[in-house]
Amino acid sequence: MEIIISDSPNDVAVKAADILQGYANRGATLGVATGSTPLATYEELIRRHTAGELSFAGCKMFALDEYVGLPIEHEQSYYSVIHNELSNHVDIDPQDVHIPNGLAEDLAAGCADYEQAIVDAGGIDVQLLGIGANGHVGFNEPSSSLSSLTRMKTLHPQTVADNARFFDSAENVPVHVVTQGLGTIQRAGQLLLLATGEQKAHAISQLVEGPLSAACPASILQIHPHATVIVDEAAASKLNNVDYYKFIQQHKPA
Ligand code: GLP
């Protein structure tokens, strides 16, 4: 894993955009994430697109997850979030923006179709990830199978509480979701996980320095051949080997 420790959340976004820009400009298939962490990165990508530095023409996007039963027009559906925060502002063909279907009558069949659509697109080249305070990625909560594919999951009460800020109250947060599995995520060519703030410090320490374990789903990055973690100083504050990770970055071969 490459661990990049940045001075500020803004610097995290710029570094993430630097990596994603290379993929976008070659029409790659991008795995996109929701949550508040990637929003600054999306703003930076949109800024570069508006400035003519980057194009999403020919790209495909696949979102990680979606709430079950939330109408896509709801402003907190991940369909709305991905369209409103990113894809509507760039030159990707709307038909190439894919979000798991949380409204399918047969959710299992919808999940299998989503998995197949990723395969048909030739796989995801780079998957952007946030991390939950409990170590979840996508909506793969602790105890998720490390080889799981896209499927329905039940949220952990902590995740419901964490995401209540986006809804009128915790009771309005859907408890069921569909999410790419940890096995799905593992198949992406590169994993790019972002985290900022002290509230993510424990999860980041478990991801980077804890055991590979379903107790911390994000620890699957340890067995991925091309995983990059970009964090700010606050999210890095519980890492034991912080000086070494900085030393590696200072001595990066040209
Ligand atoms: C949600 C999303 C995750 C995201 C997590 C963290 O649960 N399903 O993909 O990583 O929230 O969100 P935030 O970046 O707002 O802390």
Side-chain angles (χ1 to χ4, degrees), residues 54-114:
L54 130 82
S55 170
F56 288 84
C59 284
K60 294 184 173 67
M61 286 181 191
F62 284 90
L64 273 173
D65 46 12
E66 179 59 285
Y67 291 108
V68 167
L70 206 58
I72 59 172
E73 310 79 45
H74 191 289
E75 62 172 12
Q76 291 306 328
S77 77
Y78 287 170
Y79 179 97
S80 291
V81 171
I82 293 297
H83 284 81
N84 293 339
E85 305 294 345
L86 179 61
S87 66
N88 286 351
H89 305 281
V90 298
D91 57 342
I92 189 168
D93 184 335
Q95 296 209 335
D96 287 326
V97 180
H98 304 271
I99 317 285
N101 184 358
L103 297 169
E105 230 165 80
D106 183 343
L107 283 174
C111 289
D113 290 347
Y114 197 69

Side-chain angles (χ1 to χ4, degrees), residues 32-39 64-67 78 128-133 136-141 155 159 162-163 165-166 177 179 194-196 199-200:
V32 288
T34 51
S36 47
T37 309
L39 295 180
L64 273 173
D65 46 12
E66 179 59 285
Y67 291 108
Y78 287 170
L128 186 60
L129 297 166
I131 184 169
H136 76 236
V137 285
F139 271 137
N140 293 280
E141 298 283 23
L155 292 183
T159 306
D162 287 349
N163 289 1
R165 70 191 192 279
F166 297 116
V177 294
T179 181
L194 313 181
T196 57
Q199 72 281 11
K200 298 293 172 67

Side-chain angles (χ1 to χ4, degrees), residues 109-161:
C111 289
D113 290 347
Y114 197 69
E115 209 48 61
Q116 190 58 46
I118 294 173
V119 172
D120 292 346
I124 290 170
D125 294 307
V126 59
Q127 176 66 57
L128 186 60
L129 297 166
I131 184 169
N134 64 3
H136 76 236
V137 285
F139 271 137
N140 293 280
E141 298 283 23
S143 79
S144 288
S145 156
L146 300 185
S147 57
S148 49
L149 300 180
T150 304
R151 73 230 183 278
M152 192 183 90
K153 290 290 289 177
T154 303
L155 292 183
H156 191 285
Q158 184 182 344
T159 306
V160 173

